[in-house]
Amino acid sequence: MMARKRNKLKQLKPTLHILCDGECEKIYFDAYKNDYLKKIGKTVNVKTVIIDLEKSWKRIINKQIKGLPKTDVVWIVIDRDQNQEEFLSELENYCKDKNLKLCLNIVCLEYWFFMHFKNKHPKYSKCENIMNDLKKHIKNYSKDQKQFRNIVPKEFLNDERIMYAKRNAKAKRKNYSGVPLVKRNPYTGMDLVLDNIDKFSDIR
């Protein structure tokens, strides 16, 4: 009986957990998994959960990761936006201590979306500035959930744009060599999350 249980545990595929601080992030990752990867014949064990990182964030994250198998991977995805550098530095150190991966979007998620169209990296002071640049390419862009759900597969989930955005993000990251993560502006780690998801889709 115990041997059978151990064998069953061994057969379980590892899960990639994404803990994000916004509805748009969850919609995007769910669409990447269900609308993009499935259409090209890939399945992936990814679970995306929205968490509140404003209060008692350590307790909230600890609850989410408690008891997870060591083979699982956990990403924390958060915008710089209104968050202070002191908090983000503390979060970065916490992730290192807990062996979690941190995806920081500076100033916000829309910078990643903008990279699907332009290899341009001005320093942004607020998300509104990035959204104005993004709307030059997607006139009807909106964070409204219903509208956003329609925009994501149409504008962001095709091979050419995904690869273009990934190349732009990786090139920009090289330029930040030696610069602390929280000091980078603009910045996104979304390409790294997608790379990790893609690797999970290859696990059989």
Side-chain angles (χ1 to χ4, degrees):
M1 181 77 174
M2 288 299 293
R4 217 179 305 143
K5 188 175 181 180
R6 281 196 297 269
N7 289 334
K8 187 177 180 181
L9 287 172
K10 286 181 181 179
Q11 293 170 3
L12 290 176
K13 291 182 180 180
T15 300
L16 190 150
H17 304 265
I18 300 174
L19 310 181
C20 57
D21 67 342
E23 183 67 33
C24 287
E25 284 84 353
K26 176 170 171 51
I27 291 171
Y28 175 79
F29 286 122
D30 286 347
Y32 186 80
K33 170 187 173 181
N34 298 318
D35 295 333
Y36 176 69
L37 289 180
K38 277 190 178 179
K39 284 183 179 178
I40 60 176
K42 292 188 174 184
T43 57
V44 59
N45 203 14
V46 174
K47 295 181 180 179
T48 306
V49 177
I50 300 173
I51 60 173
D52 183 359
L53 291 174
E54 291 186 8
K55 296 179 180 179
S56 305
W57 60 272
K58 286 184 181 179
R59 178 181 61 79
I60 291 170
I61 296 176
N62 285 338
K63 184 178 179 180
Q64 290 289 336
I65 66 176
K66 184 179 180 181
L68 293 180
K70 291 183 179 180
T71 53
D72 283 9
V73 174
V74 179
W75 277 93
I76 309 294
V77 180
I78 184 173
D79 288 353
R80 161 71 186 275
D81 211 1
Q82 304 299 322
N83 293 301
Q84 300 298 315
E85 282 189 12
E86 183 179 353
F87 160 67
L88 294 175
S89 293
E90 187 178 357
L91 177 61
E92 183 182 10
N93 290 331
Y94 168 87
C95 288
K96 290 178 180 176
D97 182 60
K98 296 289 186 178
N99 197 29
L100 310 178
K101 297 179 181 294
L102 177 62
C103 168
L104 184 57
N105 293 310
I106 300 176
V107 175
C108 58
L109 178 66
E110 279 68 25
Y111 175 57
W112 165 246
F113 295 151
F114 180 61
M115 281 187 155
H116 288 65
F117 302 95
K118 284 286 185 180
N119 186 19
K120 179 183 175 186
H121 314 284
K123 188 173 183 178
Y124 292 102
S125 58
K126 51 187 178 180
C127 191
E128 182 182 350
N129 301 136
I130 304 178
M131 288 186 66
N132 288 338
D133 279 346
L134 183 59
K135 285 179 179 179
K136 294 174 184 176
H137 305 278
I138 309 173
K139 291 182 179 180
N140 66 332
Y141 182 82
S142 171
K143 284 179 174 286
D144 174 78
Q145 290 183 26
K146 184 177 180 180
Q147 193 167 340
F148 186 75
R149 288 180 193 276
N150 293 328
I151 290 172
V152 169
K154 178 182 177 182
E155 301 291 351
F156 306 129
L157 298 183
N158 65 71
D159 290 341
E160 186 177 348
R161 285 186 178 171
I162 290 171
M163 294 307 298
Y164 182 67
K166 281 186 175 184
R167 285 197 302 270
N168 291 340
K170 294 180 191 312
K172 184 61 178 174
R173 187 173 299 110
K174 286 183 179 181
N175 294 337
Y176 280 128
S177 178
V179 179
L181 181 61
V182 298
K183 297 287 187 182
R184 302 175 185 184
N185 185 348
Y187 179 80
T188 181
M190 291 291 288
D191 60 304
L192 301 176
V193 184
L194 296 194
D195 286 347
N196 209 169
I197 292 174
D198 293 344
K199 287 180 180 178
F200 265 66
S201 71
D202 293 330
I203 295 175
R204 295 289 184 268

